[in-house]
Amino acid sequence: MIHRQGKHDILIQINLQEVNSMINKRLKDVLFTDQWSEVCMDALSPFGYVLVTSQRMQGMLLLVFAKYFHLPFLRGIQTQTTRTGLGGIWGNKGGVSARMNVFGHSICFLNCHLPAHMENSDQRMEDFESILQQQQFEGQAASGVLDHDVVFWFGDLNFRIEDLDMQVVKSAIDNNKLSTLWEKDQLNMAKGSETVLEGFHEGPLKFSPTYKFDVGTDMYDTSGKKRKPAWTDRILWRLRPMAQVSNSMSKRSSLSGLTSGTRVSQHFYRSHMEYTISDHKPVSSIFTLQFPYRVDMPLVTLFVEDEWTEISDAVAKFKVVPNFARSSWDWIGLYKVGFKHHKDYVSYVWAKQEESDFLRQEHQVIFTEEELPKDSGDFILGYYSNNMSSIVGVTDIKTAKTKIENNAK
């Protein structure tokens, strides 16, 4: 989760691995929104979060949410997938990513599920490098994952604890001497030798290893395999190294910054032992990104003159910035406050561009009686750009909650 000024209102990333990917379930998810996405949208939309983008690859799922009033400042949104299972054929392992420019700063979120088992540490690194090489984004200054100003890398990375036997590991966990395990953690060991990991930061592992548990319990594996506990589930971040100026760790947060003024602070990094539906325990973290706005004007400014209390009031006016490439397929949606995603509109009207529009400073669209909701309530207008595949303008937050009272008989 990324937030500003103590409010969690910028972005939320939800990253899942080993989601049910049986053939019948995958076919259902193609025809309809997958159930995990629906659950997350239902939980977050009442708080003003809107799904920005999502990417699914078999059992892997990446969801990115933002408060609706930030949507016009999230641009260049793209996703990628890379399969590494069975030599690149199967998508049970690999990576899914989403990238975007946030107020002019490029950010990439990379969710990975790397190979399992103690002996496959080298294979994990090879797969990670393969994912980085294959994931390229079109038409962006930051074409590769590591070209972005900030990268968040997370998932079931599957790194294990080497050398120490089961009794030593469990004793360290039971006696809260986790630091004695850190130097034998494969990912920590790789940071000293793998150049691809240069610049990646991770907060201290002050929570117990998150794998492997007996499902439905807080007990580590008691099966015949008796898997050794490990920190398989991780969250790391990286700033572009050419601009990096500092990295300091403190008791309260982990900090790193860029000469451009970008700063990443990690406020906590924890597991959630209360969840017992998996043999893994989920891991979460909250970050603050601080940076100067490179982009502080929306591409489209939408406004209404007053509350819509009559059908004749239903006029939306808008202005576009110079050189904004409009499309005949652009539209303005009328959204109920608490909408889930850009297609979750009550109604919409086309924002078609006429030849005479080139000379106008201000444009408008009119919602007809048939296009207005039958019940009153608080609504938001959003301008959807077909070229950019995203909402590029919303009604100002002070006037966003446009009350509609439909008096049609």
Side-chain angles (χ1 to χ4, degrees), residues 388-406:
M388 300 185 69
S389 300
S390 63
I391 292 176
V392 297
V394 294
T395 40
D396 184 79
I397 186 170
K398 294 180 180 178
T399 60
K401 295 184 177 180
T402 302
K403 289 187 177 294
I404 297 177
E405 297 179 5
N406 196 324

Side-chain angles (χ1 to χ4, degrees), residues 344-358:
D344 187 26
Y345 46 73
V346 176
S347 65
Y348 70 92
V349 294
W350 295 108
K352 294 182 179 180
Q353 186 173 19
E354 308 292 344
E355 287 188 13
S356 58
D357 286 348
F358 291 100

Side-chain angles (χ1 to χ4, degrees), residues 24 80 141 178 218 223 260 279 332-333 340 354:
N24 63 334
Q80 282 285 352
L178 300 177
D218 291 330
S223 71
S260 65
D279 57 358
I332 294 176
K340 300 176 182 179
E354 308 292 344

